[in-house]
Amino acid sequence: MTTATHSSAVNAGGAVLDFRQAGLSYGARALWDGLDLRVRPGEFLAVLGPNGAGKTSMLRTILGQQRLTRGSLDFLGAPVRRGDRRIGYIPQQRLMEAGTPLRARDLIALGLNGHRWGAGRLGRAGSERLEQVIEHVGAGGFADAPVAELSGGEQQRIRVGQAIAASPALMLCDEPLISLDLRHQRVVTDLIDAERRERATSVVFVTHDINPILGAVDRVLYIASGRFLIGTADEVLRSEVLSDLYGTDVDVVRTMGRIVIVGSNDPHVPGHASLGMERAP
């Protein structure tokens, strides 16, 4: 396990993502600093922490939408750049507004031709890939339905399809399971995990609840109070480790295959909405 003040040397060769002494601040407030993190091909990294810790801001730096305050970040051996089609992105689940003039297949197709100006035809190879993705995400039964008429789980399947359509080297997932029921959480998680296993696609998955993805996760990056921890779930999600990170008592309970984290009344420790946590009475 590594921390903001102590990190083990990792060979950068072949890293998909390479943060080197990276930091991000808003004015005088440092979200995180001194981050050395190398994400390997096919690795599943869960990014955890309370609201405002800088998890989504980290995804924005990888997407080239936000610049680091300090240090550097490379993607596939070169500095990150905005609009890199080798990166797939799955946003939080938000229902499409009624009247949205897109079919499910149209939204997936944007993962193949959305970078082009104008409508643009997919061509034979693109059309074949589109049908493959529709089948892969189990959307054949509603591929021609208006997106706004689909359930939340069906819409999120389509967003996964859009993200994987161009066979990216990296998938960024920004809490894609929010508002989904347990069945659809499993479906979406399995789709993401299958893609990374079949194509060695790296996954950076921001979440408040690690339980739905626990079986897929290789390492955890936990950000809180301007500090961070990196390690396996068993290394990071421990009472003594999180108590030290937050500077207050935190209990980690494992029950029925789930992880429950019980925080103190300290307002800086997440409550019910974070990581399956519950606040102590």
Side-chain angles (χ1 to χ4, degrees):
M1 180 170 61
T2 62
T3 71
T5 57
H6 176 74
S7 60
S8 60
V10 179
N11 188 344
V16 174
L17 279 180
D18 188 5
F19 287 89
R20 295 185 299 277
Q21 286 296 296
L24 184 63
S25 301
Y26 289 116
R29 178 177 174 243
L31 296 178
W32 32 271
D33 195 20
L35 176 63
D36 286 314
L37 172 66
R38 294 164 183 88
V39 179
R40 302 179 296 272
E43 182 176 11
F44 196 121
L45 177 76
V47 183
L48 310 174
N51 289 332
K55 305 184 299 296
T56 294
S57 295
M58 173 174 285
L59 297 188
R60 290 175 59 84
T61 65
I62 299 170
L63 290 168
Q65 298 173 349
Q66 188 163 348
R67 297 188 65 177
L68 293 171
T69 308
R70 179 173 176 265
S72 63
L73 168 59
D74 285 351
F75 170 58
L76 294 177
V80 295
R81 58 182 176 85
R82 191 165 185 148
D84 196 320
R85 295 186 63 242
R86 297 171 297 177
I87 299 177
Y89 174 65
I90 305 172
Q92 295 182 19
Q93 194 273 329
R94 295 186 180 92
L95 293 179
M96 294 284 184
E97 295 183 4
T100 301
L102 284 175
R103 299 170 301 169
R105 68 168 60 249
D106 298 329
L107 197 61
I108 294 176
L110 289 176
L112 294 168
N113 64 6
H115 63 291
R116 304 172 186 165
W117 291 103
R121 295 178 63 85
L122 287 176
R124 181 175 177 178
S127 296
E128 289 177 352
R129 175 59 180 162
L130 175 59
E131 296 305 320
Q132 289 173 356
V133 174
I134 289 172
E135 180 179 357
H136 182 68
V137 301
F142 49 84
D144 293 304
V147 176
E149 295 181 4
L150 303 180
S151 69
E154 290 169 340
Q155 288 188 17
Q156 205 64 338
R157 284 198 200 195
I158 297 304
R159 291 187 177 96
V160 173
Q162 183 184 37
I164 68 175
S167 302
L170 171 67
M171 277 203 294
L172 303 180
C173 309
D174 190 4
E175 302 195 48
L177 307 182
I178 283 183
S179 300
L180 297 182
D181 60 30
L182 292 177
R183 182 174 70 86
H184 283 106
Q185 285 183 0
R186 171 57 59 191
V187 168
V188 171
T189 298
D190 287 349
L191 287 172
I192 294 169
D193 193 38
E195 182 70 11
R196 70 108 177 192
R197 291 180 182 278
E198 292 172 9
R199 299 180 181 272
T201 304
S202 301
V203 176
V204 176
F205 195 110
V206 169
T207 183
H208 277 88
D209 184 0
I210 195 173
N211 288 298
I213 61 172
L214 193 56
V217 169
D218 294 308
R219 284 192 297 168
V220 167
L221 167 63
Y222 198 118
I223 307 172
S225 306
R227 302 171 63 202
F228 61 83
L229 298 165
I230 305 171
T232 66
D234 286 340
E235 289 173 333
V236 172
L237 302 180
R238 294 162 49 195
S239 299
E240 65 273 22
V241 173
L242 294 187
S243 294
D244 178 69
L245 180 67
Y246 281 104
T248 189
D249 289 339
V250 177
D251 288 332
V252 179
V253 180
R254 287 172 167 80
T255 177
M256 298 178 66
R258 294 180 61 83
I259 295 177
V260 179
I261 300 178
V262 185
S264 71
N265 291 324
D266 188 317
H268 297 292
V269 179
H272 293 283
S274 300
L275 191 59
M277 296 185 179
E278 298 177 0
R279 192 181 301 279

